[in-house]
Amino acid sequence: MTMQFVTDYIDKKIAENKEFIRYTFFELRVEHNLSEKEVDEFLRINRDYFENKDYNVYFTNAKYTYKNEDKIVEPNELMIAIK
């Protein structure tokens, strides 16, 4: 995993939906074949990036509210960032 990969992936996610960012286990571990250590580093970088951009960041099993609905970050979801 390179910083270029991280930056490109953040840009891709923002282009898809800048208000709601979701990273899943499947996309990071299976589709991109990141190790557990790489996923931890990837999520740390993303957390810092999105928090610095005034997003609220949530990880697996955390409770959050989106569009007036109470939700929980599902077990297959690693991180959610909401603007």
Side-chain angles (χ1 to χ4, degrees):
M1 178 188 74
T2 64
M3 277 307 296
Q4 187 64 49
F5 169 79
V6 175
T7 302
D8 291 346
Y9 213 76
I10 289 171
D11 292 343
K12 173 185 175 264
K13 287 293 194 173
I14 291 171
E16 288 174 1
N17 184 350
K18 68 181 180 182
E19 301 297 320
F20 187 88
I21 309 295
R22 173 186 291 139
Y23 292 118
T24 66
F25 177 90
F26 183 81
E27 70 184 297
L28 298 179
R29 290 295 307 267
V30 178
E31 289 179 354
H32 295 289
N33 199 30
L34 298 182
S35 70
E36 195 168 327
K37 183 178 177 182
E38 288 172 321
V39 167
D40 288 346
E41 180 68 7
F42 178 87
L43 294 175
R44 184 192 62 76
I45 294 166
N46 275 267
R47 179 201 64 213
D48 293 347
Y49 175 85
F50 286 112
E51 284 180 345
N52 287 334
K53 299 289 185 184
D54 294 324
Y55 282 74
N56 293 314
V57 178
Y58 306 93
F59 294 95
T60 306
N61 295 322
K63 295 178 182 178
Y64 66 97
T65 302
Y66 183 64
K67 294 188 176 179
N68 296 319
E69 278 188 54
D70 291 334
K71 298 181 177 241
I72 296 177
V73 182
E74 298 295 331
N76 64 321
E77 297 171 325
L78 300 176
M79 188 187 97
I80 290 179
I82 302 171
K83 186 71 169 176

PDB file of all heavy atoms in Angstrom, residues 23 39-40 42-48 51 56-64 71-75 77-81:
ATOM      1  N   TYR A  23     -16.088   2.544   4.113  1.00  0.00           N
ATOM      2  CA  TYR A  23     -15.075   1.550   3.757  1.00  0.00           C
ATOM      3  C   TYR A  23     -15.518   0.211   4.326  1.00  0.00           C
ATOM      4  O   TYR A  23     -15.861   0.124   5.506  1.00  0.00           O
ATOM      5  CB  TYR A  23     -13.708   1.909   4.343  1.00  0.00           C
ATOM      6  CG  TYR A  23     -13.094   3.141   3.739  1.00  0.00           C
ATOM      7  CD1 TYR A  23     -12.824   4.252   4.517  1.00  0.00           C
ATOM      8  CD2 TYR A  23     -12.784   3.187   2.393  1.00  0.00           C
ATOM      9  CE1 TYR A  23     -12.251   5.384   3.963  1.00  0.00           C
ATOM     10  CE2 TYR A  23     -12.218   4.321   1.830  1.00  0.00           C
ATOM     11  CZ  TYR A  23     -11.955   5.410   2.620  1.00  0.00           C
ATOM     12  OH  TYR A  23     -11.391   6.530   2.072  1.00  0.00           O
ATOM     13  N   VAL A  39      -4.536  -2.328   6.505  1.00  0.00           N
ATOM     14  CA  VAL A  39      -5.883  -1.787   6.726  1.00  0.00           C
ATOM     15  C   VAL A  39      -5.881  -0.847   7.928  1.00  0.00           C
ATOM     16  O   VAL A  39      -6.450   0.240   7.875  1.00  0.00           O
ATOM     17  CB  VAL A  39      -6.919  -2.920   6.906  1.00  0.00           C
ATOM     18  CG1 VAL A  39      -8.237  -2.378   7.434  1.00  0.00           C
ATOM     19  CG2 VAL A  39      -7.136  -3.659   5.602  1.00  0.00           C
ATOM     20  N   ASP A  40      -5.209  -1.237   9.000  1.00  0.00           N
ATOM     21  CA  ASP A  40      -5.132  -0.374  10.184  1.00  0.00           C
ATOM     22  C   ASP A  40      -4.483   0.963   9.837  1.00  0.00           C
ATOM     23  O   ASP A  40      -4.977   2.020  10.242  1.00  0.00           O
ATOM     24  CB  ASP A  40      -4.344  -1.058  11.302  1.00  0.00           C
ATOM     25  CG  ASP A  40      -5.098  -2.205  11.948  1.00  0.00           C
ATOM     26  OD1 ASP A  40      -6.328  -2.317  11.735  1.00  0.00           O
ATOM     27  OD2 ASP A  40      -4.460  -3.002  12.660  1.00  0.00           O
ATOM     28  N   PHE A  42      -4.220   2.322   6.800  1.00  0.00           N
ATOM     29  CA  PHE A  42      -5.117   2.981   5.849  1.00  0.00           C
ATOM     30  C   PHE A  42      -6.238   3.712   6.586  1.00  0.00           C
ATOM     31  O   PHE A  42      -6.523   4.876   6.317  1.00  0.00           O
ATOM     32  CB  PHE A  42      -5.692   1.926   4.891  1.00  0.00           C
ATOM     33  CG  PHE A  42      -6.665   2.462   3.894  1.00  0.00           C
ATOM     34  CD1 PHE A  42      -6.225   2.968   2.685  1.00  0.00           C
ATOM     35  CD2 PHE A  42      -8.028   2.447   4.141  1.00  0.00           C
ATOM     36  CE1 PHE A  42      -7.124   3.459   1.742  1.00  0.00           C
ATOM     37  CE2 PHE A  42      -8.928   2.937   3.221  1.00  0.00           C
ATOM     38  CZ  PHE A  42      -8.469   3.442   2.021  1.00  0.00           C
ATOM     39  N   LEU A  43      -6.853   3.044   7.551  1.00  0.00           N
ATOM     40  CA  LEU A  43      -7.953   3.652   8.310  1.00  0.00           C
ATOM     41  C   LEU A  43      -7.461   4.789   9.200  1.00  0.00           C
ATOM     42  O   LEU A  43      -8.148   5.795   9.352  1.00  0.00           O
ATOM     43  CB  LEU A  43      -8.675   2.591   9.139  1.00  0.00           C
ATOM     44  CG  LEU A  43      -9.430   1.528   8.338  1.00  0.00           C
ATOM     45  CD1 LEU A  43      -9.995   0.472   9.267  1.00  0.00           C
ATOM     46  CD2 LEU A  43     -10.512   2.139   7.474  1.00  0.00           C
ATOM     47  N   ARG A  44      -6.262   4.667   9.765  1.00  0.00           N
ATOM     48  CA  ARG A  44      -5.703   5.738  10.584  1.00  0.00           C
ATOM     49  C   ARG A  44      -5.496   6.998   9.740  1.00  0.00           C
ATOM     50  O   ARG A  44      -5.883   8.093  10.137  1.00  0.00           O
ATOM     51  CB  ARG A  44      -4.373   5.309  11.209  1.00  0.00           C
ATOM     52  CG  ARG A  44      -3.804   6.363  12.163  1.00  0.00           C
ATOM     53  CD  ARG A  44      -2.367   6.087  12.548  1.00  0.00           C
ATOM     54  NE  ARG A  44      -1.451   6.113  11.407  1.00  0.00           N
ATOM     55  CZ  ARG A  44      -1.027   7.230  10.799  1.00  0.00           C
ATOM     56  NH1 ARG A  44      -1.453   8.411  11.194  1.00  0.00           N
ATOM     57  NH2 ARG A  44      -0.186   7.158   9.790  1.00  0.00           N
ATOM     58  N   ILE A  45      -4.920   6.824   8.564  1.00  0.00           N
ATOM     59  CA  ILE A  45      -4.693   7.957   7.667  1.00  0.00           C
ATOM     60  C   ILE A  45      -6.024   8.583   7.261  1.00  0.00           C
ATOM     61  O   ILE A  45      -6.182   9.807   7.259  1.00  0.00           O
ATOM     62  CB  ILE A  45      -3.887   7.522   6.427  1.00  0.00           C
ATOM     63  CG1 ILE A  45      -2.478   7.094   6.837  1.00  0.00           C
ATOM     64  CG2 ILE A  45      -3.840   8.630   5.380  1.00  0.00           C
ATOM     65  CD1 ILE A  45      -1.713   6.343   5.758  1.00  0.00           C
ATOM     66  N   ASN A  46      -6.988   7.735   6.908  1.00  0.00           N
ATOM     67  CA  ASN A  46      -8.304   8.228   6.503  1.00  0.00           C
ATOM     68  C   ASN A  46      -9.012   8.940   7.650  1.00  0.00           C
ATOM     69  O   ASN A  46      -9.625   9.985   7.450  1.00  0.00           O
ATOM     70  CB  ASN A  46      -9.168   7.074   5.977  1.00  0.00           C
ATOM     71  CG  ASN A  46      -8.922   6.808   4.519  1.00  0.00           C
ATOM     72  OD1 ASN A  46      -9.616   7.341   3.672  1.00  0.00           O
ATOM     73  ND2 ASN A  46      -7.906   6.010   4.221  1.00  0.00           N
ATOM     74  N   ARG A  47      -8.938   8.384   8.846  1.00  0.00           N
ATOM     75  CA  ARG A  47      -9.556   9.032  10.011  1.00  0.00           C
ATOM     76  C   ARG A  47      -8.999  10.439  10.177  1.00  0.00           C
ATOM     77  O   ARG A  47      -9.750  11.406  10.311  1.00  0.00           O
ATOM     78  CB  ARG A  47      -9.298   8.210  11.272  1.00  0.00           C
ATOM     79  CG  ARG A  47      -9.899   8.858  12.521  1.00  0.00           C
ATOM     80  CD  ARG A  47      -9.267   8.369  13.806  1.00  0.00           C
ATOM     81  NE  ARG A  47      -7.868   8.776  13.821  1.00  0.00           N
ATOM     82  CZ  ARG A  47      -6.890   8.063  14.379  1.00  0.00           C
ATOM     83  NH1 ARG A  47      -7.126   6.910  14.958  1.00  0.00           N
ATOM     84  NH2 ARG A  47      -5.647   8.499  14.354  1.00  0.00           N
ATOM     85  N   ASP A  48      -7.678  10.551  10.161  1.00  0.00           N
ATOM     86  CA  ASP A  48      -7.048  11.861  10.327  1.00  0.00           C
ATOM     87  C   ASP A  48      -7.471  12.812   9.211  1.00  0.00           C
ATOM     88  O   ASP A  48      -7.797  13.977   9.473  1.00  0.00           O
ATOM     89  CB  ASP A  48      -5.525  11.731  10.349  1.00  0.00           C
ATOM     90  CG  ASP A  48      -5.022  10.996  11.586  1.00  0.00           C
ATOM     91  OD1 ASP A  48      -5.801  10.803  12.545  1.00  0.00           O
ATOM     92  OD2 ASP A  48      -3.837  10.599  11.579  1.00  0.00           O
ATOM     93  N   GLU A  51     -11.319  13.713   9.662  1.00  0.00           N
ATOM     94  CA  GLU A  51     -11.544  14.550  10.844  1.00  0.00           C
ATOM     95  C   GLU A  51     -11.021  15.970  10.597  1.00  0.00           C
ATOM     96  O   GLU A  51     -11.642  16.942  11.026  1.00  0.00           O
ATOM     97  CB  GLU A  51     -10.891  13.931  12.077  1.00  0.00           C
ATOM     98  CG  GLU A  51     -11.675  12.752  12.612  1.00  0.00           C
ATOM     99  CD  GLU A  51     -11.052  12.115  13.843  1.00  0.00           C
ATOM    100  OE1 GLU A  51      -9.863  12.381  14.157  1.00  0.00           O
ATOM    101  OE2 GLU A  51     -11.759  11.330  14.497  1.00  0.00           O
ATOM    102  N   ASN A  56     -17.458  13.585  10.730  1.00  0.00           N
ATOM    103  CA  ASN A  56     -17.560  12.724  11.901  1.00  0.00           C
ATOM    104  C   ASN A  56     -17.189  11.324  11.438  1.00  0.00           C
ATOM    105  O   ASN A  56     -17.727  10.847  10.438  1.00  0.00           O
ATOM    106  CB  ASN A  56     -18.972  12.735  12.483  1.00  0.00           C
ATOM    107  CG  ASN A  56     -19.326  14.079  13.065  1.00  0.00           C
ATOM    108  OD1 ASN A  56     -18.539  14.673  13.784  1.00  0.00           O
ATOM    109  ND2 ASN A  56     -20.503  14.571  12.746  1.00  0.00           N
ATOM    110  N   VAL A  57     -16.292  10.677  12.164  1.00  0.00           N
ATOM    111  CA  VAL A  57     -15.766   9.373  11.746  1.00  0.00           C
ATOM    112  C   VAL A  57     -16.185   8.318  12.768  1.00  0.00           C
ATOM    113  O   VAL A  57     -16.054   8.521  13.979  1.00  0.00           O
ATOM    114  CB  VAL A  57     -14.230   9.428  11.615  1.00  0.00           C
ATOM    115  CG1 VAL A  57     -13.679   8.064  11.226  1.00  0.00           C
ATOM    116  CG2 VAL A  57     -13.821  10.477  10.583  1.00  0.00           C
ATOM    117  N   TYR A  58     -16.667   7.186  12.246  1.00  0.00           N
ATOM    118  CA  TYR A  58     -17.149   6.093  13.085  1.00  0.00           C
ATOM    119  C   TYR A  58     -16.539   4.777  12.614  1.00  0.00           C
ATOM    120  O   TYR A  58     -16.347   4.576  11.419  1.00  0.00           O
ATOM    121  CB  TYR A  58     -18.677   5.985  13.013  1.00  0.00           C
ATOM    122  CG  TYR A  58     -19.368   7.279  13.346  1.00  0.00           C
ATOM    123  CD1 TYR A  58     -19.720   8.179  12.348  1.00  0.00           C
ATOM    124  CD2 TYR A  58     -19.654   7.611  14.661  1.00  0.00           C
ATOM    125  CE1 TYR A  58     -20.342   9.381  12.653  1.00  0.00           C
ATOM    126  CE2 TYR A  58     -20.283   8.811  14.978  1.00  0.00           C
ATOM    127  CZ  TYR A  58     -20.622   9.685  13.965  1.00  0.00           C
ATOM    128  OH  TYR A  58     -21.235  10.869  14.261  1.00  0.00           O
ATOM    129  N   PHE A  59     -16.285   3.887  13.572  1.00  0.00           N
ATOM    130  CA  PHE A  59     -15.723   2.572  13.255  1.00  0.00           C
ATOM    131  C   PHE A  59     -16.710   1.473  13.642  1.00  0.00           C
ATOM    132  O   PHE A  59     -17.731   1.743  14.261  1.00  0.00           O
ATOM    133  CB  PHE A  59     -14.380   2.397  13.967  1.00  0.00           C
ATOM    134  CG  PHE A  59     -13.322   3.341  13.444  1.00  0.00           C
ATOM    135  CD1 PHE A  59     -13.073   4.547  14.080  1.00  0.00           C
ATOM    136  CD2 PHE A  59     -12.619   3.041  12.297  1.00  0.00           C
ATOM    137  CE1 PHE A  59     -12.123   5.427  13.585  1.00  0.00           C
ATOM    138  CE2 PHE A  59     -11.668   3.910  11.787  1.00  0.00           C
ATOM    139  CZ  PHE A  59     -11.420   5.110  12.437  1.00  0.00           C
ATOM    140  N   THR A  60     -16.394   0.253  13.291  1.00  0.00           N
ATOM    141  CA  THR A  60     -17.269  -0.906  13.487  1.00  0.00           C
ATOM    142  C   THR A  60     -17.931  -0.885  14.865  1.00  0.00           C
ATOM    143  O   THR A  60     -17.276  -0.662  15.877  1.00  0.00           O
ATOM    144  CB  THR A  60     -16.464  -2.210  13.312  1.00  0.00           C
ATOM    145  OG1 THR A  60     -15.810  -2.170  12.037  1.00  0.00           O
ATOM    146  CG2 THR A  60     -17.370  -3.433  13.358  1.00  0.00           C
ATOM    147  N   ASN A  61     -19.251  -1.110  14.858  1.00  0.00           N
ATOM    148  CA  ASN A  61     -20.121  -1.188  16.039  1.00  0.00           C
ATOM    149  C   ASN A  61     -20.447   0.166  16.678  1.00  0.00           C
ATOM    150  O   ASN A  61     -21.187   0.210  17.645  1.00  0.00           O
ATOM    151  CB  ASN A  61     -19.561  -2.133  17.103  1.00  0.00           C
ATOM    152  CG  ASN A  61     -19.519  -3.556  16.611  1.00  0.00           C
ATOM    153  OD1 ASN A  61     -20.411  -4.019  15.899  1.00  0.00           O
ATOM    154  ND2 ASN A  61     -18.471  -4.272  16.972  1.00  0.00           N
ATOM    155  N   ALA A  62     -19.925   1.258  16.148  1.00  0.00           N
ATOM    156  CA  ALA A  62     -20.251   2.575  16.701  1.00  0.00           C
ATOM    157  C   ALA A  62     -21.642   3.003  16.248  1.00  0.00           C
ATOM    158  O   ALA A  62     -22.094   2.658  15.161  1.00  0.00           O
ATOM    159  CB  ALA A  62     -19.211   3.596  16.246  1.00  0.00           C
ATOM    160  N   LYS A  63     -22.316   3.759  17.103  1.00  0.00           N
ATOM    161  CA  LYS A  63     -23.638   4.293  16.764  1.00  0.00           C
ATOM    162  C   LYS A  63     -23.471   5.676  16.152  1.00  0.00           C
ATOM    163  O   LYS A  63     -22.617   6.446  16.583  1.00  0.00           O
ATOM    164  CB  LYS A  63     -24.506   4.371  18.010  1.00  0.00           C
ATOM    165  CG  LYS A  63     -24.819   3.022  18.604  1.00  0.00           C
ATOM    166  CD  LYS A  63     -25.646   3.147  19.860  1.00  0.00           C
ATOM    167  CE  LYS A  63     -25.899   1.764  20.443  1.00  0.00           C
ATOM    168  NZ  LYS A  63     -26.662   1.820  21.686  1.00  0.00           N
ATOM    169  N   TYR A  64     -24.303   5.961  15.148  1.00  0.00           N
ATOM    170  CA  TYR A  64     -24.278   7.271  14.516  1.00  0.00           C
ATOM    171  C   TYR A  64     -25.666   7.591  13.976  1.00  0.00           C
ATOM    172  O   TYR A  64     -26.527   6.722  13.887  1.00  0.00           O
ATOM    173  CB  TYR A  64     -23.233   7.335  13.396  1.00  0.00           C
ATOM    174  CG  TYR A  64     -23.524   6.448  12.203  1.00  0.00           C
ATOM    175  CD1 TYR A  64     -24.141   6.962  11.070  1.00  0.00           C
ATOM    176  CD2 TYR A  64     -23.177   5.107  12.193  1.00  0.00           C
ATOM    177  CE1 TYR A  64     -24.404   6.166   9.967  1.00  0.00           C
ATOM    178  CE2 TYR A  64     -23.432   4.295  11.105  1.00  0.00           C
ATOM    179  CZ  TYR A  64     -24.046   4.834   9.988  1.00  0.00           C
ATOM    180  OH  TYR A  64     -24.308   4.035   8.902  1.00  0.00           O
ATOM    181  N   LYS A  71     -28.245   4.659  13.401  1.00  0.00           N
ATOM    182  CA  LYS A  71     -27.665   3.491  12.752  1.00  0.00           C
ATOM    183  C   LYS A  71     -26.465   3.015  13.552  1.00  0.00           C
ATOM    184  O   LYS A  71     -25.990   3.709  14.443  1.00  0.00           O
ATOM    185  CB  LYS A  71     -27.215   3.829  11.333  1.00  0.00           C
ATOM    186  CG  LYS A  71     -28.358   4.263  10.427  1.00  0.00           C
ATOM    187  CD  LYS A  71     -27.846   4.571   9.033  1.00  0.00           C
ATOM    188  CE  LYS A  71     -29.007   4.937   8.144  1.00  0.00           C
ATOM    189  NZ  LYS A  71     -29.159   4.060   7.033  1.00  0.00           N
ATOM    190  N   ILE A  72     -25.974   1.843  13.191  1.00  0.00           N
ATOM    191  CA  ILE A  72     -24.764   1.271  13.782  1.00  0.00           C
ATOM    192  C   ILE A  72     -23.845   0.875  12.634  1.00  0.00           C
ATOM    193  O   ILE A  72     -24.301   0.340  11.618  1.00  0.00           O
ATOM    194  CB  ILE A  72     -25.091   0.034  14.642  1.00  0.00           C
ATOM    195  CG1 ILE A  72     -25.955   0.452  15.836  1.00  0.00           C
ATOM    196  CG2 ILE A  72     -23.815  -0.662  15.105  1.00  0.00           C
ATOM    197  CD1 ILE A  72     -26.401  -0.709  16.706  1.00  0.00           C
ATOM    198  N   VAL A  73     -22.559   1.134  12.795  1.00  0.00           N
ATOM    199  CA  VAL A  73     -21.591   0.692  11.793  1.00  0.00           C
ATOM    200  C   VAL A  73     -21.567  -0.833  11.849  1.00  0.00           C
ATOM    201  O   VAL A  73     -21.252  -1.420  12.885  1.00  0.00           O
ATOM    202  CB  VAL A  73     -20.185   1.272  12.066  1.00  0.00           C
ATOM    203  CG1 VAL A  73     -19.222   0.828  10.974  1.00  0.00           C
ATOM    204  CG2 VAL A  73     -20.243   2.793  12.155  1.00  0.00           C
ATOM    205  N   GLU A  74     -21.969  -1.451  10.772  1.00  0.00           N
ATOM    206  CA  GLU A  74     -22.131  -2.905  10.718  1.00  0.00           C
ATOM    207  C   GLU A  74     -20.787  -3.631  10.808  1.00  0.00           C
ATOM    208  O   GLU A  74     -19.738  -3.055  10.513  1.00  0.00           O
ATOM    209  CB  GLU A  74     -22.839  -3.291   9.410  1.00  0.00           C
ATOM    210  CG  GLU A  74     -24.240  -2.718   9.274  1.00  0.00           C
ATOM    211  CD  GLU A  74     -25.213  -3.244  10.309  1.00  0.00           C
ATOM    212  OE1 GLU A  74     -25.043  -4.376  10.782  1.00  0.00           O
ATOM    213  OE2 GLU A  74     -26.148  -2.508  10.650  1.00  0.00           O
ATOM    214  N   PRO A  75     -20.806  -4.922  11.182  1.00  0.00           N
ATOM    215  CA  PRO A  75     -19.553  -5.687  11.310  1.00  0.00           C
ATOM    216  C   PRO A  75     -18.719  -5.750  10.027  1.00  0.00           C
ATOM    217  O   PRO A  75     -17.501  -5.840  10.101  1.00  0.00           O
ATOM    218  CB  PRO A  75     -20.029  -7.080  11.712  1.00  0.00           C
ATOM    219  CG  PRO A  75     -21.341  -6.848  12.385  1.00  0.00           C
ATOM    220  CD  PRO A  75     -21.957  -5.676  11.660  1.00  0.00           C
ATOM    221  N   GLU A  77     -18.509  -3.300   7.907  1.00  0.00           N
ATOM    222  CA  GLU A  77     -18.074  -1.944   7.610  1.00  0.00           C
ATOM    223  C   GLU A  77     -16.924  -1.571   8.568  1.00  0.00           C
ATOM    224  O   GLU A  77     -17.051  -1.730   9.773  1.00  0.00           O
ATOM    225  CB  GLU A  77     -19.230  -0.949   7.788  1.00  0.00           C
ATOM    226  CG  GLU A  77     -20.372  -1.196   6.854  1.00  0.00           C
ATOM    227  CD  GLU A  77     -21.596  -0.354   7.158  1.00  0.00           C
ATOM    228  OE1 GLU A  77     -21.865  -0.102   8.365  1.00  0.00           O
ATOM    229  OE2 GLU A  77     -22.281   0.039   6.206  1.00  0.00           O
ATOM    230  N   LEU A  78     -15.820  -1.092   8.015  1.00  0.00           N
ATOM    231  CA  LEU A  78     -14.683  -0.764   8.852  1.00  0.00           C
ATOM    232  C   LEU A  78     -14.698   0.682   9.310  1.00  0.00           C
ATOM    233  O   LEU A  78     -14.282   0.986  10.425  1.00  0.00           O
ATOM    234  CB  LEU A  78     -13.378  -1.056   8.096  1.00  0.00           C
ATOM    235  CG  LEU A  78     -13.194  -2.515   7.677  1.00  0.00           C
ATOM    236  CD1 LEU A  78     -11.934  -2.663   6.856  1.00  0.00           C
ATOM    237  CD2 LEU A  78     -13.165  -3.413   8.900  1.00  0.00           C
ATOM    238  N   MET A  79     -15.171   1.571   8.448  1.00  0.00           N
ATOM    239  CA  MET A  79     -15.205   2.988   8.804  1.00  0.00           C
ATOM    240  C   MET A  79     -16.268   3.711   8.003  1.00  0.00           C
ATOM    241  O   MET A  79     -16.476   3.398   6.839  1.00  0.00           O
ATOM    242  CB  MET A  79     -13.842   3.638   8.527  1.00  0.00           C
ATOM    243  CG  MET A  79     -13.724   5.050   9.052  1.00  0.00           C
ATOM    244  SD  MET A  79     -12.196   5.859   8.540  1.00  0.00           S
ATOM    245  CE  MET A  79     -12.820   6.759   7.125  1.00  0.00           C
ATOM    246  N   ILE A  80     -16.903   4.678   8.651  1.00  0.00           N
ATOM    247  CA  ILE A  80     -17.860   5.568   7.985  1.00  0.00           C
ATOM    248  C   ILE A  80     -17.492   6.983   8.387  1.00  0.00           C
ATOM    249  O   ILE A  80     -17.211   7.254   9.555  1.00  0.00           O
ATOM    250  CB  ILE A  80     -19.307   5.227   8.392  1.00  0.00           C
ATOM    251  CG1 ILE A  80     -19.702   3.891   7.774  1.00  0.00           C
ATOM    252  CG2 ILE A  80     -20.273   6.336   7.967  1.00  0.00           C
ATOM    253  CD1 ILE A  80     -21.078   3.409   8.085  1.00  0.00           C
ATOM    254  N   ALA A  81     -17.487   7.869   7.401  1.00  0.00           N
ATOM    255  CA  ALA A  81     -17.246   9.294   7.653  1.00  0.00           C
ATOM    256  C   ALA A  81     -18.420  10.082   7.080  1.00  0.00           C
ATOM    257  O   ALA A  81     -18.825   9.866   5.955  1.00  0.00           O
ATOM    258  CB  ALA A  81     -15.939   9.731   6.998  1.00  0.00           C
TER     259      ALA A  81
END
